[in-house]
Amino acid sequence: MAGRARRLAPNGIKIMLKRRGLSAGLTGVHAHRWRHNFAHEWKRAGGDSGDLMLLMGWVSEDMPRHYGASAAAERAQETHQRMGIGENV
């Protein structure tokens, strides 16, 4: 039965990500880390939270805050530096 796709197990994506990470020489690869990083980079680039929700399939407005919170302080500092507000006060 070569070529016939097998049904994905309930934890199939988790297993696939782990295997792909290991084959690339990476450890700790998992979907939650990807979601956190994607949300951080989206917001860092100035992306809208509503658009992020649509792309990720989230229905709760808590999700962009949850996944973007891990790097919120970093983004705030970058924005502060870019704006330069307070430097000459």
Side-chain angles (χ1 to χ4, degrees):
M1 293 194 172
R4 185 173 177 180
R6 291 185 298 160
R7 182 171 285 196
L8 200 60
N11 63 344
I13 292 176
K14 176 182 174 181
I15 292 168
M16 181 182 66
L17 285 172
K18 185 174 183 173
R19 282 185 191 155
R20 297 268 170 105
L22 290 173
S23 70
L26 304 170
T27 58
V29 175
H30 52 81
H32 290 292
R33 179 170 289 158
W34 182 86
R35 287 184 193 110
H36 282 281
N37 190 56
F38 187 90
H40 170 60
E41 293 299 329
W42 180 268
K43 289 183 172 197
R44 175 188 262 167
D48 179 75
S49 290
D51 293 339
L52 178 60
M53 285 178 59
L54 288 170
L55 286 173
M56 300 299 282
W58 297 329
V59 294
S60 168
E61 292 185 9
D62 291 335
M63 298 310 287
R65 279 192 297 276
H66 171 74
Y67 282 107
S70 61
E74 180 182 336
R75 287 191 310 275
Q77 287 182 337
E78 289 172 355
T79 301
H80 175 253
Q81 294 224 334
R82 185 181 71 247
M83 296 173 80
I85 297 172
E87 299 298 320
N88 298 318
V89 176

